[in-house]
């Protein structure tokens, strides 16, 4: 555009009943400065807040890493359930489970999300994987943040977003812009990410964990031929946290953190644990 600024790059557009609509690349949109929020908010998971020095910092971005079935979605549901209990408005973005499936899953643990969804306190945005477009997703999230004071956002999960990125080198910039957009609204973000089931945990797809303030690792463990689950706080950028690895269970009450795994080694790099004296 001669003599005038414009938003560079390729932008998604759609033609529908309302005509021609363009969805700008989120990297080209300035979200403005982040809303200043202070204090900590509860994850809602018994025992986890203690490991994090009192909870998640308000306005921060947290990634929960773990293999399929380990409890990432349950963690996200518990996070929004806690927010609803505190009178907060929440947004849950899902690429696999539908809104009804998530509500049913939560009900199995005694968490009533149906009422919150009905009265607008909970917004569930389900995007089937085959229809996922990153620019449309960013536009929808931006609209939800603008239309009402959203205080908690869950995105489940990172892997589908990486696979939907048509330009492989674009994703880090996109993820940085998306987290910046959510933080600019004063909301706290939790996003899940898939890892391998067995063996050492590699860097998750997308290679963007450096963008997040906090990193929580969930994994399966093997102890005396029995399969269990373990959780550890890998990093918290602006806060102290527990450096130990803890067992956790999922039962009728949901996700509960148990005792630290003592006198064993190999928790992070091996699927089988070994005692110090062996």
């Amino acid at each position: 555009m001669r003599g005038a600024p414009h938003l560079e790059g390729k932008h998604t557009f759609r033609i529908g009943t309302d005509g021609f609509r363009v969805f700008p690349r989120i990297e080209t949109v300035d979200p403005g400065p982040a809303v200043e929020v202070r204090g900590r908010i509860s994850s809602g998971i018994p025992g986890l807040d203690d490991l994090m020095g009192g909870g998640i910092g308000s306005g921060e971005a947290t990634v929960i890493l773990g293999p399929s079935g380990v409890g990432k979605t349950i963690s996200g549901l518990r996070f929004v359930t806690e927010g609803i209990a505190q009178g907060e408005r929440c947004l849950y973005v899902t690429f696999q489970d539908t809104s009804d499936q998530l509500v049913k899953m939560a009900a199995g643990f005694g968490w009533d999300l149906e009422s919150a969804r009905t009265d607008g306190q909970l917004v569930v945005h389900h995007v089937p994987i085959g229809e996922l477009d990153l620019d449309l997703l960013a536009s929808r999230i931006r609209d939800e943040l603008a239309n009402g004071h959203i205080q908690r956002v869950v995105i489940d999960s990172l892997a589908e977003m990486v696979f939907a990125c048509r330009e492989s080198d674009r994703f880090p910039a996109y993820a940085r812009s998306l987290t910046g957009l959510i933080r600019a609204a004063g909301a706290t973000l939790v996003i899940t990410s898939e890892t391998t089931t067995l063996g050492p945990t590699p860097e998750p797809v997308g290679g963007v964990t450096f963008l997040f303030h906090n990193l929580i690792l969930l994994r399966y463990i093997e102890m005396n031929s029995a399969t269990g689950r373990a959780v550890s706080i890998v990093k918290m950028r602006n806060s102290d946290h527990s450096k130990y690895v803890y067992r956790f269970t999922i039962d009728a009450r949901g996700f509960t953190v148990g005792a630290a795994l003592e006198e064993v080694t190999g928790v992070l790099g091996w699927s089988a644990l070994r005692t110090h004296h062996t």
Side-chain angles (χ1 to χ4, degrees), residues 3-278:
H6 65 280
L7 303 184
E8 299 180 353
K10 298 177 181 178
H11 306 275
T12 297
F13 75 89
R14 291 289 185 271
I15 299 175
T17 56
D18 56 349
F20 189 110
R21 184 179 179 187
V22 178
F23 301 88
R25 293 168 72 96
I26 191 175
E27 304 95 305
T28 65
V29 179
D30 181 9
V35 173
E36 185 176 355
V37 288
R38 299 180 180 179
R40 294 179 181 270
I41 62 175
S42 174
S43 66
I45 298 174
L48 185 60
D49 292 343
D50 293 336
L51 308 189
M52 303 183 74
I56 299 171
S58 295
E60 293 184 347
T62 300
V63 60
I64 301 178
L65 303 179
S68 177
V70 77
K72 302 185 298 298
T73 298
I74 293 173
S75 301
L77 289 174
R78 190 66 188 92
F79 181 68
V80 298
T81 299
E82 179 66 19
I84 291 167
Q86 300 297 326
E88 300 170 351
R89 192 162 183 261
C90 305
L91 170 64
Y92 198 109
V93 179
T94 171
F95 307 122
Q96 293 191 14
D97 300 297
T98 67
S99 178
D100 289 339
Q101 288 170 334
L102 290 174
V103 168
K104 183 178 179 180
M105 188 185 306
F109 297 104
W111 310 331
D112 179 19
L113 296 185
E114 178 60 34
S115 298
R117 184 177 61 163
T118 300
D119 64 20
Q121 191 180 359
L122 172 65
V123 178
V124 179
H125 180 37
H126 173 234
V127 184
I129 298 175
E131 301 176 12
L132 177 56
D133 181 284
L134 296 185
D135 294 314
L136 268 69
L137 174 66
S139 177
R140 179 63 181 271
I141 292 175
R142 186 166 59 245
D143 289 345
E144 293 293 350
L145 293 172
N147 292 336
H149 184 42
I150 299 288
Q151 292 163 288
R152 299 191 186 210
V153 177
V154 173
I155 300 178
D156 187 14
S157 69
L158 187 68
E160 288 87 349
M161 296 169 65
V162 173
F163 295 148
C165 188
R166 295 186 293 271
E167 304 163 59
S168 59
D169 59 347
R170 178 194 177 190
F171 192 74
Y174 174 88
R176 181 173 60 249
S177 299
L178 183 63
T179 56
L181 172 71
I182 294 170
R183 293 191 65 210
T188 303
L189 170 66
V190 167
I191 188 168
T192 67
S193 184
E194 193 85 3
T195 64
T196 54
T197 300
L198 301 175
T201 301
E203 176 75 9
V205 289
V208 293
T209 54
F210 68 93
L211 296 175
F212 301 97
H213 300 86
N214 313 312
L215 195 161
I216 301 173
L217 175 63
L218 309 180
R219 59 164 295 151
Y220 294 112
I221 57 173
E222 182 183 345
M223 297 186 66
N224 300 323
S225 298
T227 302
R229 292 178 168 94
V231 56
S232 58
I233 310 301
V234 177
K235 77 167 184 178
M236 291 189 71
R237 187 174 296 168
N238 301 316
S239 175
D240 192 16
H241 60 90
S242 173
K243 310 305 189 294
Y244 291 93
V245 179
Y246 296 79
R247 297 192 72 168
F248 75 90
T249 57
I250 297 176
D251 54 25
R253 300 172 299 171
F255 186 128
T256 302
V257 177
L261 288 166
E262 299 180 349
E263 300 301 321
V264 294
T265 187
V267 176
L268 297 180
W270 302 78
S271 58
L273 306 184
R274 297 159 290 140
T275 61
H276 288 306
H277 57 270
T278 59

